[in-house]
Amino acid sequence: MTAPTKTPTHPDLHEPVIDWFAEHARDLPWRRPEAGPWGVMVSEFMLQQTPVSRVLPVYEQWLARWPRPADLAKEAPGEAVRAWGRLGYPRRALRLHGAAVAITERHGGDVPTGHAQLLALPGIGEYTAAAVASFAYGQRHAVLDTNVRRVFARAVGGVQYPPNATTAAERKMARALLPEEDETAAKWAAASMELGALVCTAKNENCHRCPIAAMCAWRLAGKPPHEGPARRGQTYAGTDRQVRGKLLAVLREAVAPVPQAVLDRVWDEPVQRARALDGLVDDGLVEPLPGGLYRLPAS
DNA sequence: CAGGCGTGGTG
DNA sequence: TCACCAAGCCT
């Protein structure tokens, strides 16, 4: 019997993908050693649903201004929202600020190393906890983001796209594919994600540049097109989200509290406008003051 | 668990 | 042009 006892399910995928990564990985600031766990964590918050190209400049400003969690923690949350700029989903800024406060209070100012501790922080879900633990601390976790899910769906599952929501089957597959060693697993996580971001993309798959094209189940099956309904497109024009965005843009630019009348100019329809503003206040993104004034939250 | 939550680039 | 997409989280 020559077979070793703990052979991974698909050991042949690891080496080509990791080697490809060594050659083609982008030189991103949060991948450099000087970024540290805090830099990794900040980047992960910003990258949630936001392209790398838009994150880069904000990331640099953020780290220069708040090089440690404690630096951000002592700021007003509104300053985090302001510095977030136009990255989108500004609740992330609030949550990152909240995470910095929690890190300062509960973890002595250092980004925690444990997956469960990370998961307990605001704005950190399953993906981000695994990503920080893996990228910042070299731990072995299944890091299942949209890129990795797509790569696995194709290379292993033989279909064009993964399911809309992450399934237990996907998690199981991701765990089964994980290399045994911590360090190798961390490289694998970063490499498989980068492959999905650069080569095995949603719209154009570039199989000629793919290091595992020869063993890709989807390609070998003749690249059958996605079956079933298309993903629900996110509508935007005319929604509360658009109104919220316009309201918050005014408040981000303002140095002093803004009168209601000024906010009223961003949207004609009064019911929707009021609903959007109320929502921002409920979310803690906007602080109402006496006299019909509004500003970003000071506390 | 489906739906809400920003923004700008792109085919 | 405009629908779709980009390293999710929370309720």
Side-chain angles (χ1 to χ4, degrees):
Chain A
M1 299 299 99
T2 57
T5 53
K6 55 172 189 177
T7 305
T9 310
H10 294 273
D12 39 350
L13 293 178
H14 300 153
E15 190 175 315
V17 173
I18 290 172
D19 287 351
W20 171 87
F21 184 69
E23 178 77 11
H24 298 283
R26 290 167 291 181
D27 176 26
L28 301 170
W30 45 88
R31 286 179 177 163
R32 297 202 269 265
E34 61 266 30
W38 174 237
V40 171
M41 186 175 141
V42 169
S43 77
E44 290 302 334
F45 269 78
M46 293 182 173
L47 287 163
Q48 291 168 4
Q49 302 281 280
T50 306
V52 166
S53 60
R54 294 194 15 233
V55 165
L56 283 169
V58 182
Y59 171 85
E60 299 288 6
Q61 294 170 19
W62 196 283
L63 267 292
R65 183 171 176 184
W66 300 306
R68 300 164 304 174
D71 300 317
L72 177 59
K74 61 191 175 197
E75 288 272 9
E79 282 308 295
V81 174
R82 196 189 307 278
W84 198 252
R86 307 187 67 80
L87 280 184
Y89 293 139
R91 291 189 292 194
R92 291 182 293 167
L94 227 42
R95 290 171 183 152
L96 180 51
H97 179 272
V101 170
I103 287 170
T104 305
E105 292 176 350
R106 306 205 293 258
H107 302 289
D110 294 318
V111 176
T113 60
H115 182 278
Q117 294 171 309
L118 289 163
L119 197 55
L121 297 173
I124 294 193
E126 179 57 40
Y127 161 75
T128 304
V132 172
S134 181
F135 302 156
Y137 295 120
Q139 295 173 21
R140 181 177 183 273
H141 293 283
V143 182
L144 256 193
D145 80 319
T146 186
N147 290 308
V148 174
R149 294 180 61 219
R150 186 173 55 250
V151 169
F152 288 178
R154 291 175 182 171
V156 182
V159 297
Q160 187 176 20
Y161 297 120
N164 279 328
T166 306
T167 63
E170 285 182 277
R171 287 187 247 276
K172 186 177 179 181
M173 182 198 299
R175 282 196 301 271
L177 287 171
L178 218 47
E180 293 294 333
E181 284 186 273
D182 286 357
E183 190 180 330
T184 311
K187 284 183 189 170
W188 163 249
S192 53
M193 190 177 310
E194 188 80 336
L195 186 64
L198 297 183
V199 175
C200 194
T201 61
K203 289 192 173 179
N204 320 311
E205 68 282 355
N206 304 279
C207 303
H208 61 103
R209 294 196 284 122
C210 179
I212 53 173
M215 46 192 128
C216 174
W218 184 53
R219 197 187 67 86
L220 292 173
K223 296 192 185 183
H226 179 68
E227 292 180 35
R231 284 195 174 197
R232 247 184 55 72
Q234 9 169 236
T235 52
Y236 183 66
T239 62
D240 288 5
R241 291 159 81 171
Q242 184 181 18
V243 184
R244 287 166 56 106
K246 287 177 176 293
L247 291 169
L248 209 55
V250 171
L251 293 169
R252 274 199 311 266
E253 299 306 315
V255 292
V258 175
Q260 168 104 45
V262 173
L263 293 177
D264 285 350
R265 291 207 291 267
V266 308
W267 198 256
D268 284 337
E269 209 291 300
V271 174
Q272 187 178 27
R273 193 178 63 218
R275 187 173 62 232
L277 184 55
D278 285 348
L280 289 170
V281 172
D282 286 344
D283 288 347
L285 284 163
V286 171
E287 182 177 350
L289 299 173
L293 297 171
Y294 295 88
R295 68 178 176 191
L296 298 180
S299 59

PDB file of all heavy atoms in Angstrom, chain A residues 177-198:
ATOM      1  N   LEU A 177     -10.606  20.814   0.294  1.00  0.00           N
ATOM      2  CA  LEU A 177      -9.540  21.245  -0.616  1.00  0.00           C
ATOM      3  C   LEU A 177      -8.372  21.899   0.113  1.00  0.00           C
ATOM      4  O   LEU A 177      -7.345  22.178  -0.486  1.00  0.00           O
ATOM      5  CB  LEU A 177     -10.095  22.235  -1.643  1.00  0.00           C
ATOM      6  CG  LEU A 177     -10.980  21.672  -2.749  1.00  0.00           C
ATOM      7  CD1 LEU A 177     -11.620  22.796  -3.541  1.00  0.00           C
ATOM      8  CD2 LEU A 177     -10.161  20.775  -3.678  1.00  0.00           C
ATOM      9  N   LEU A 178      -8.552  22.173   1.392  1.00  0.00           N
ATOM     10  CA  LEU A 178      -7.552  22.927   2.141  1.00  0.00           C
ATOM     11  C   LEU A 178      -6.264  22.113   2.351  1.00  0.00           C
ATOM     12  O   LEU A 178      -6.323  20.983   2.824  1.00  0.00           O
ATOM     13  CB  LEU A 178      -8.151  23.303   3.496  1.00  0.00           C
ATOM     14  CG  LEU A 178      -7.851  24.656   4.108  1.00  0.00           C
ATOM     15  CD1 LEU A 178      -8.012  25.785   3.090  1.00  0.00           C
ATOM     16  CD2 LEU A 178      -8.765  24.878   5.295  1.00  0.00           C
ATOM     17  N   PRO A 179      -5.121  22.675   1.983  1.00  0.00           N
ATOM     18  CA  PRO A 179      -3.849  21.994   2.265  1.00  0.00           C
ATOM     19  C   PRO A 179      -3.675  21.754   3.762  1.00  0.00           C
ATOM     20  O   PRO A 179      -4.232  22.484   4.586  1.00  0.00           O
ATOM     21  CB  PRO A 179      -2.800  22.984   1.758  1.00  0.00           C
ATOM     22  CG  PRO A 179      -3.515  23.801   0.729  1.00  0.00           C
ATOM     23  CD  PRO A 179      -4.931  23.910   1.231  1.00  0.00           C
ATOM     24  N   GLU A 180      -2.901  20.750   4.103  1.00  0.00           N
ATOM     25  CA  GLU A 180      -2.741  20.374   5.507  1.00  0.00           C
ATOM     26  C   GLU A 180      -1.974  21.415   6.310  1.00  0.00           C
ATOM     27  O   GLU A 180      -2.356  21.761   7.423  1.00  0.00           O
ATOM     28  CB  GLU A 180      -2.030  19.017   5.602  1.00  0.00           C
ATOM     29  CG  GLU A 180      -2.840  17.862   5.066  1.00  0.00           C
ATOM     30  CD  GLU A 180      -4.086  17.595   5.902  1.00  0.00           C
ATOM     31  OE1 GLU A 180      -4.083  17.902   7.111  1.00  0.00           O
ATOM     32  OE2 GLU A 180      -5.072  17.095   5.323  1.00  0.00           O
ATOM     33  N   GLU A 181      -0.892  21.883   5.751  1.00  0.00           N
ATOM     34  CA  GLU A 181      -0.041  22.815   6.488  1.00  0.00           C
ATOM     35  C   GLU A 181      -0.637  24.218   6.534  1.00  0.00           C
ATOM     36  O   GLU A 181      -1.157  24.709   5.528  1.00  0.00           O
ATOM     37  CB  GLU A 181       1.332  22.905   5.824  1.00  0.00           C
ATOM     38  CG  GLU A 181       2.254  21.737   6.082  1.00  0.00           C
ATOM     39  CD  GLU A 181       3.624  22.007   5.487  1.00  0.00           C
ATOM     40  OE1 GLU A 181       3.809  21.695   4.301  1.00  0.00           O
ATOM     41  OE2 GLU A 181       4.475  22.554   6.206  1.00  0.00           O
ATOM     42  N   ASP A 182      -0.490  24.868   7.684  1.00  0.00           N
ATOM     43  CA  ASP A 182      -1.005  26.232   7.843  1.00  0.00           C
ATOM     44  C   ASP A 182      -0.485  27.166   6.757  1.00  0.00           C
ATOM     45  O   ASP A 182      -1.248  27.872   6.105  1.00  0.00           O
ATOM     46  CB  ASP A 182      -0.603  26.791   9.212  1.00  0.00           C
ATOM     47  CG  ASP A 182      -1.411  26.163  10.342  1.00  0.00           C
ATOM     48  OD1 ASP A 182      -2.303  25.353  10.031  1.00  0.00           O
ATOM     49  OD2 ASP A 182      -1.148  26.484  11.498  1.00  0.00           O
ATOM     50  N   GLU A 183       0.815  27.186   6.592  1.00  0.00           N
ATOM     51  CA  GLU A 183       1.435  28.141   5.680  1.00  0.00           C
ATOM     52  C   GLU A 183       0.979  27.896   4.240  1.00  0.00           C
ATOM     53  O   GLU A 183       0.700  28.839   3.491  1.00  0.00           O
ATOM     54  CB  GLU A 183       2.959  28.028   5.790  1.00  0.00           C
ATOM     55  CG  GLU A 183       3.704  29.122   5.078  1.00  0.00           C
ATOM     56  CD  GLU A 183       5.219  28.962   5.223  1.00  0.00           C
ATOM     57  OE1 GLU A 183       5.667  28.421   6.254  1.00  0.00           O
ATOM     58  OE2 GLU A 183       5.933  29.359   4.287  1.00  0.00           O
ATOM     59  N   THR A 184       0.910  26.630   3.860  1.00  0.00           N
ATOM     60  CA  THR A 184       0.454  26.294   2.511  1.00  0.00           C
ATOM     61  C   THR A 184      -1.022  26.645   2.332  1.00  0.00           C
ATOM     62  O   THR A 184      -1.432  27.155   1.284  1.00  0.00           O
ATOM     63  CB  THR A 184       0.659  24.795   2.233  1.00  0.00           C
ATOM     64  OG1 THR A 184       1.996  24.429   2.594  1.00  0.00           O
ATOM     65  CG2 THR A 184       0.435  24.479   0.766  1.00  0.00           C
ATOM     66  N   ALA A 185      -1.804  26.398   3.369  1.00  0.00           N
ATOM     67  CA  ALA A 185      -3.236  26.716   3.304  1.00  0.00           C
ATOM     68  C   ALA A 185      -3.454  28.217   3.127  1.00  0.00           C
ATOM     69  O   ALA A 185      -4.336  28.642   2.371  1.00  0.00           O
ATOM     70  CB  ALA A 185      -3.939  26.211   4.558  1.00  0.00           C
ATOM     71  N   ALA A 186      -2.662  29.011   3.831  1.00  0.00           N
ATOM     72  CA  ALA A 186      -2.788  30.468   3.712  1.00  0.00           C
ATOM     73  C   ALA A 186      -2.414  30.929   2.309  1.00  0.00           C
ATOM     74  O   ALA A 186      -3.070  31.812   1.735  1.00  0.00           O
ATOM     75  CB  ALA A 186      -1.911  31.155   4.757  1.00  0.00           C
ATOM     76  N   LYS A 187      -1.365  30.340   1.754  1.00  0.00           N
ATOM     77  CA  LYS A 187      -0.987  30.692   0.373  1.00  0.00           C
ATOM     78  C   LYS A 187      -2.084  30.276  -0.605  1.00  0.00           C
ATOM     79  O   LYS A 187      -2.415  31.000  -1.537  1.00  0.00           O
ATOM     80  CB  LYS A 187       0.319  29.985  -0.016  1.00  0.00           C
ATOM     81  CG  LYS A 187       1.565  30.593   0.594  1.00  0.00           C
ATOM     82  CD  LYS A 187       2.801  29.854   0.078  1.00  0.00           C
ATOM     83  CE  LYS A 187       4.056  30.278   0.819  1.00  0.00           C
ATOM     84  NZ  LYS A 187       5.210  29.408   0.494  1.00  0.00           N
ATOM     85  N   TRP A 188      -2.612  29.108  -0.387  1.00  0.00           N
ATOM     86  CA  TRP A 188      -3.685  28.575  -1.239  1.00  0.00           C
ATOM     87  C   TRP A 188      -4.899  29.499  -1.222  1.00  0.00           C
ATOM     88  O   TRP A 188      -5.508  29.768  -2.251  1.00  0.00           O
ATOM     89  CB  TRP A 188      -4.041  27.175  -0.772  1.00  0.00           C
ATOM     90  CG  TRP A 188      -5.351  26.626  -1.252  1.00  0.00           C
ATOM     91  CD1 TRP A 188      -6.457  26.387  -0.502  1.00  0.00           C
ATOM     92  CD2 TRP A 188      -5.676  26.216  -2.589  1.00  0.00           C
ATOM     93  NE1 TRP A 188      -7.461  25.864  -1.275  1.00  0.00           N
ATOM     94  CE2 TRP A 188      -7.011  25.746  -2.566  1.00  0.00           C
ATOM     95  CE3 TRP A 188      -4.971  26.205  -3.797  1.00  0.00           C
ATOM     96  CZ2 TRP A 188      -7.657  25.272  -3.698  1.00  0.00           C
ATOM     97  CZ3 TRP A 188      -5.630  25.725  -4.933  1.00  0.00           C
ATOM     98  CH2 TRP A 188      -6.951  25.261  -4.872  1.00  0.00           C
ATOM     99  N   ALA A 189      -5.233  29.998  -0.037  1.00  0.00           N
ATOM    100  CA  ALA A 189      -6.389  30.889   0.088  1.00  0.00           C
ATOM    101  C   ALA A 189      -6.180  32.154  -0.749  1.00  0.00           C
ATOM    102  O   ALA A 189      -7.055  32.546  -1.529  1.00  0.00           O
ATOM    103  CB  ALA A 189      -6.628  31.244   1.548  1.00  0.00           C
ATOM    104  N   ALA A 190      -5.018  32.757  -0.581  1.00  0.00           N
ATOM    105  CA  ALA A 190      -4.735  33.990  -1.328  1.00  0.00           C
ATOM    106  C   ALA A 190      -4.634  33.713  -2.821  1.00  0.00           C
ATOM    107  O   ALA A 190      -5.108  34.501  -3.649  1.00  0.00           O
ATOM    108  CB  ALA A 190      -3.435  34.615  -0.816  1.00  0.00           C
ATOM    109  N   ALA A 191      -4.033  32.582  -3.169  1.00  0.00           N
ATOM    110  CA  ALA A 191      -3.797  32.257  -4.574  1.00  0.00           C
ATOM    111  C   ALA A 191      -5.092  31.929  -5.306  1.00  0.00           C
ATOM    112  O   ALA A 191      -5.325  32.392  -6.429  1.00  0.00           O
ATOM    113  CB  ALA A 191      -2.812  31.095  -4.682  1.00  0.00           C
ATOM    114  N   SER A 192      -5.949  31.142  -4.686  1.00  0.00           N
ATOM    115  CA  SER A 192      -7.209  30.773  -5.348  1.00  0.00           C
ATOM    116  C   SER A 192      -8.110  31.995  -5.504  1.00  0.00           C
ATOM    117  O   SER A 192      -8.834  32.129  -6.492  1.00  0.00           O
ATOM    118  CB  SER A 192      -7.915  29.661  -4.571  1.00  0.00           C
ATOM    119  OG  SER A 192      -8.078  30.002  -3.216  1.00  0.00           O
ATOM    120  N   MET A 193      -8.034  32.900  -4.538  1.00  0.00           N
ATOM    121  CA  MET A 193      -8.815  34.131  -4.636  1.00  0.00           C
ATOM    122  C   MET A 193      -8.301  35.008  -5.774  1.00  0.00           C
ATOM    123  O   MET A 193      -9.078  35.565  -6.562  1.00  0.00           O
ATOM    124  CB  MET A 193      -8.747  34.888  -3.309  1.00  0.00           C
ATOM    125  CG  MET A 193      -9.704  36.040  -3.206  1.00  0.00           C
ATOM    126  SD  MET A 193      -9.648  36.834  -1.597  1.00  0.00           S
ATOM    127  CE  MET A 193      -9.804  35.425  -0.537  1.00  0.00           C
ATOM    128  N   GLU A 194      -6.990  35.124  -5.852  1.00  0.00           N
ATOM    129  CA  GLU A 194      -6.399  35.947  -6.906  1.00  0.00           C
ATOM    130  C   GLU A 194      -6.684  35.369  -8.297  1.00  0.00           C
ATOM    131  O   GLU A 194      -6.918  36.109  -9.254  1.00  0.00           O
ATOM    132  CB  GLU A 194      -4.878  36.050  -6.678  1.00  0.00           C
ATOM    133  CG  GLU A 194      -4.167  37.043  -7.593  1.00  0.00           C
ATOM    134  CD  GLU A 194      -4.317  38.489  -7.130  1.00  0.00           C
ATOM    135  OE1 GLU A 194      -5.292  38.792  -6.416  1.00  0.00           O
ATOM    136  OE2 GLU A 194      -3.457  39.317  -7.485  1.00  0.00           O
ATOM    137  N   LEU A 195      -6.700  34.060  -8.378  1.00  0.00           N
ATOM    138  CA  LEU A 195      -7.015  33.415  -9.660  1.00  0.00           C
ATOM    139  C   LEU A 195      -8.420  33.799 -10.125  1.00  0.00           C
ATOM    140  O   LEU A 195      -8.644  34.099 -11.299  1.00  0.00           O
ATOM    141  CB  LEU A 195      -6.890  31.893  -9.529  1.00  0.00           C
ATOM    142  CG  LEU A 195      -7.058  31.097 -10.828  1.00  0.00           C
ATOM    143  CD1 LEU A 195      -5.958  31.436 -11.816  1.00  0.00           C
ATOM    144  CD2 LEU A 195      -7.068  29.595 -10.544  1.00  0.00           C
ATOM    145  N   GLY A 196      -9.349  33.809  -9.196  1.00  0.00           N
ATOM    146  CA  GLY A 196     -10.713  34.202  -9.530  1.00  0.00           C
ATOM    147  C   GLY A 196     -10.813  35.677  -9.879  1.00  0.00           C
ATOM    148  O   GLY A 196     -11.629  36.082 -10.702  1.00  0.00           O
ATOM    149  N   ALA A 197      -9.983  36.486  -9.259  1.00  0.00           N
ATOM    150  CA  ALA A 197     -10.033  37.930  -9.506  1.00  0.00           C
ATOM    151  C   ALA A 197      -9.392  38.306 -10.835  1.00  0.00           C
ATOM    152  O   ALA A 197      -9.839  39.249 -11.493  1.00  0.00           O
ATOM    153  CB  ALA A 197      -9.337  38.672  -8.364  1.00  0.00           C
ATOM    154  N   LEU A 198      -8.357  37.592 -11.239  1.00  0.00           N
ATOM    155  CA  LEU A 198      -7.594  37.996 -12.421  1.00  0.00           C
ATOM    156  C   LEU A 198      -7.855  37.143 -13.658  1.00  0.00           C
ATOM    157  O   LEU A 198      -7.789  37.633 -14.776  1.00  0.00           O
ATOM    158  CB  LEU A 198      -6.086  37.966 -12.115  1.00  0.00           C
ATOM    159  CG  LEU A 198      -5.571  38.914 -11.034  1.00  0.00           C
ATOM    160  CD1 LEU A 198      -4.059  38.813 -10.916  1.00  0.00           C
ATOM    161  CD2 LEU A 198      -5.984  40.344 -11.334  1.00  0.00           C
TER     162      LEU A 198
END
